[in-house]
Structures are given as C-alpha cells and as structure tokens.
Amino acid sequence: MNPKLLRGSLDTIIIKLLNDNGEMYGYEITQKVKELTGDTIKITEGALYPSLHKLEGKGVLAVETRSIGNRYRKYYSITKQGKSELATMLEDMKAYMQSMELLLNPKLA
Amino acid sequence: MNPKLLRGSLDTIIIKLLNDNGEMYGYEITQKVKELTGDTIKITEGALYPSLHKLEGKGVLAVETRSIGNRYRKYYSITKQGKSELATMLEDMKAYMQSMELLLNPKLA
DNA sequence: CTCTATACCTAAGAATCTTATGTAATAATT
DNA sequence: AATTATTACATAAGATTCTTAGGTATAGAG
C-alpha cells in the first residue's frame, strides 16, 4: 500500500492498539499492525519510535522498562489523558473516512 | 476535522474529482469538496495550488487557461496517464481504509 | 558461525502540509 | 460611493511527519 496514506494516522493507530490490548512494546506494535491488516500496513521503526517518545512526552502514554533475561523491553500503556484524546481522534478518523467515502463513491450526487 | 488526516490523500481527491466531473478550476475544487463532505474537509489553497502544479508537471493533469470577462480561470482535466494512475490510487486508498477499519474495529479478533 | 529475528535507537533528507501573505476582479452591503 | 466579502489565482517560510539509512545488541536457527 502507498505509505503516504498513513501520514497523520499513525498516532491514532498506536493509541487505539494500546487502548485495546493493555500494554505493548514497540516492536510488538509493528507486528500486531502487520498481523491485523494482513501485511497491508507496515509501520517502520523510524516512524514508530519517535512517535512513541512524542506521545509519552505529551502525557498520552506511560512507559515502563522491563528486563527480559539479558535484554529489555519498553512497555507502553495509555494514560487517562490518552483515553480522552483517543475519543477525539476516533471521531476525527470516522469523520475523515466517511468524507472519503463520499468523495470516492459519489453515487448519491 | 483534524487536517493531519488529510495528509497523503489530497492528490487522490483532486484526481478523482476531475475524473468524475470533467474539468474544474482550483477554487471550484475547494468548494466542491466542502459541499460533498458537508464542510468536513476544507482544502486550503496553500495546499491545493502547489499540488495542482505538481500533478500537471507529472503529466497527470492538463491545464487550459480561459478568460472569463476581465479575469481568468485555469481549468484542469485528467490525462490518460492520470486515469491509469487513478486506478492505482483508488486501490491503495481502498486497502488503506479497509485496514483502518480492521485496526479501529477489531471485533472479529 | 553466520544469518535471521527480536528490540531498542537516531539523524538526514524528502514530502506534504499550515499559516501568512500578496494580487486582483467581481459582487454584495451599507 | 465606499467598504467588505467572495472569487480566483499564487508563493514562501516554517512545522510536521514521514522514509531511508544507518547503529547497537541479544537470541535463536541452520
């Protein structure tokens, strides 16, 4: 899929996934998105990690580093503020998608 | 609506509108999009005109300047190349929207 | 032992937009 | 008649958000 289309919706995807699945680490998010979309959407790590850091900085996500044997993972979870922002983001996304349907399938014009 | 979501889909909107409506001028496109989406999507001129010029430069659109009384309009229309690219763009957009549905409504997980 | 997968990260550059501004003709309002 | 809003084009600076290309390191498979 043309990755240009993903622009602007990455944050919504991340927050929605964390809202539904409790806590997740970065790499897990990339795999989950590939799995759920049948390899259609592939989130690059160069886009993901800066977004996670940004969302954490804004207070939308919380992070906890855990040791797994000799290595570590950073588990992210959604905050209260994140939950309230998610509501707005989902409304916006819904409005956007409905509008795109109207533009691309103007059958009732 | 959050204008971030529009990133990446502006070209698809422009080309699809021109495909369906024959020829249109820039300002007309902004009005048509507002009308079709019930004021949800508002294309700014700062985004539109550079895109039109870019698409014309790529051979996707053709342009014809016409005098209307004492002023002028630049009418854009889709080229053969544009028609073939539109097919790909619509497929991509459809795939993207289906994937977003899967991510945002994972009812069948 | 080498290659792949897992798991984190950053930085340069490209692309695409917003915001602000400019010009000018026409239409509507006061 | 004068002013404001709408129509219609345009560009440029800056912000944002990606891609691409690297880097580090552990774990597992062949």
Side-chain angles (χ1 to χ4, degrees), chain A residues 72-87:
Chain A
Y72 71 103
R73 286 183 189 151
K74 292 177 75 173
Y75 282 88
Y76 289 88
S77 56
I78 188 171
T79 63
K80 259 181 209 171
Q81 185 196 328
K83 290 213 180 249
S84 95
E85 289 200 21
L86 175 59

Side-chain angles (χ1 to χ4, degrees), chain A residues 4-62:
Chain A
K4 267 200 302 185
L5 294 175
L6 205 61
R7 277 185 173 262
S9 38
L10 179 58
D11 289 357
T12 304
I13 291 174
I14 292 172
I15 296 174
K16 170 68 172 161
L17 273 185
L18 289 172
N19 181 72
D20 293 358
N21 298 322
E23 53 179 20
M24 301 178 82
Y25 54 97
Y27 187 78
E28 188 183 10
I29 292 175
T30 66
Q31 302 306 305
K32 189 75 175 176
V33 168
K34 275 205 293 186
E35 177 200 323
L36 285 175
T37 66
D39 278 20
T40 300
I41 295 186
K42 289 165 189 160
I43 294 182
T44 64
E45 299 185 319
L48 176 70
Y49 290 114
S51 276
L52 287 174
H53 302 159
K54 179 194 69 182
L55 293 172
E56 188 206 339
K58 284 171 62 183
V60 170
L61 301 183

Side-chain angles (χ1 to χ4, degrees), chain B residues 10-99:
Chain B
L10 179 57
D11 289 358
T12 305
I13 292 174
I14 292 172
I15 296 174
K16 170 70 172 161
L17 273 186
L18 289 172
N19 182 72
D20 293 357
N21 298 324
E23 53 179 21
M24 300 177 82
Y25 53 96
Y27 187 77
E28 187 182 9
I29 292 175
T30 67
Q31 301 306 305
K32 190 73 176 177
V33 169
K34 276 205 292 185
E35 177 200 323
L36 285 175
T37 66
D39 279 19
T40 299
I41 294 185
K42 289 165 189 160
I43 294 182
T44 64
E45 298 184 318
L48 176 70
Y49 290 113
S51 276
L52 287 173
H53 302 158
K54 179 194 67 181
L55 293 172
E56 188 206 340
K58 284 172 61 182
V60 170
L61 301 183
V63 66
E64 191 194 323
T65 303
R66 298 219 196 108
S67 285
I68 312 288
N70 233 347
R71 57 205 297 188
Y72 71 102
R73 286 183 189 151
K74 292 177 76 173
Y75 282 88
Y76 289 88
S77 55
I78 188 171
T79 63
K80 258 180 210 173
Q81 185 196 329
K83 289 211 180 252
S84 95
E85 290 200 19
L86 175 60
T88 307
M89 293 169 102
L90 289 179
E91 277 168 34
D92 286 347
M93 178 60 73
K94 201 173 165 185
Y96 163 72
M97 288 177 66
Q98 283 175 349
S99 289

